[in-house]
Amino acid sequence: MEALARGLDVLACFRPARRSMSLTEVATAADLARPTARRLLLTLEELGFVRSVGTSFELTPKVLTLGMAYINALGLWDIARPHMEELVGRTGESSSMSQLDGSDIVYVARVSVPKLITLRVAVGTRFPAAQTSQGKVLLAALSPKELDATLAEPSRAGLPPFIGRSVEQLRDQLTEIRARGWALADEELAPGIRSVAVPVRDGTGAVRAAMNVTVHAAETSIDELLSHHLPLLQRTAGDVSAEWAHWQSQPLVEVPRESDSSATA
């Protein structure tokens, strides 16, 4: 189990800013001894998750199977995609879906439009939850005990914290969000980025994800975001939640493997 955990730590070291890393860089980033890092990298290379390029290592596309296994098992992305595409078509703005991972959100779905934006966002992108509209929605759904534990975890997003609000003010804001059902983030994540988010619920009514619409602050006012985009977003999230609940209620049917079908033929 320890070797598995360390191997996952090695995979997590690779970021957009460091797509290729030397053995020493991996060992430092993962806080491992060089011999340990080398053994892990060689094992991951044998499994096809990393490849060596000269004296450096980089991830291979096979790493995507780890994340896609989760997304496909959840069933949410296939359900949400057509609804999100319709929402983007009606608003002309990008829409994303995220889930909570510690004190961060991680993007699990995104439909974007080509616009100038100060932050690159894709599936797998991680941001501090308290600085995003989606994160606020997800934090607001936690119990007081869960919220305390979550906020105590350090962010792994690598972004500077938002200093315009105290923890007490955040808690008050989350209380309001819980009551009204949506959250706004106005240039808290980065200058020029404004978004509104609502919850996505599973078949039990629990908040399992959040969906947003993101705009550029210079192009779209808060009034327009809330009066025009928010109602469309709420309707979309409601449709996704309803369809997802129906999908979850269906019995699981396993497709027989090719080897199994040939054996019984």
Side-chain angles (χ1 to χ4, degrees), residues 139-142 147 171 173-182:
L139 291 174
L142 300 178
L147 180 60
R171 293 181 189 279
Q173 190 177 36
L174 294 178
T175 299
E176 296 178 7
I177 291 168
R178 191 178 304 111
R180 72 190 181 197
W182 55 267

Side-chain angles (χ1 to χ4, degrees), residues 232-245:
L232 296 175
L233 175 63
Q234 290 173 318
R235 191 174 312 141
T236 300
D239 290 343
V240 171
S241 297
E243 191 170 334
W244 191 28

Side-chain angles (χ1 to χ4, degrees), residues 119-130:
L119 286 178
R120 292 182 58 185
V121 179
V123 172
T125 295
R126 177 183 295 271
F127 288 137

Side-chain angles (χ1 to χ4, degrees), residues 125-202:
T125 295
R126 177 183 295 271
F127 288 137
Q131 295 173 227
T132 68
S133 58
Q134 294 182 91
K136 292 178 188 178
V137 165
L138 296 170
L139 291 174
L142 300 178
S143 67
K145 185 177 181 179
E146 291 171 331
L147 180 60
D148 288 341
T150 299
L151 294 179
E153 293 191 35
S155 170
R156 291 181 283 159
L159 293 179
F162 179 64
I163 60 175
R165 176 187 53 224
S166 66
V167 175
E168 290 74 20
Q169 289 172 324
L170 174 62
R171 293 181 189 279
D172 292 341
Q173 190 177 36
L174 294 178
T175 299
E176 296 178 7
I177 291 168
R178 191 178 304 111
R180 72 190 181 197
W182 55 267
L184 175 72
D186 187 19
E187 301 188 86
E188 297 174 36
L189 187 62
I193 295 180
R194 177 177 289 160
S195 68
V196 64
V198 298
V200 175
R201 302 177 184 274
D202 65 11

Side-chain angles (χ1 to χ4, degrees), residues 211-225:
M211 183 186 298
N212 79 347
V213 171
T214 302
V215 301
H216 197 289
E219 298 177 350
T220 305
S221 67
I222 293 179
D223 286 343
E224 182 181 357
L225 181 62

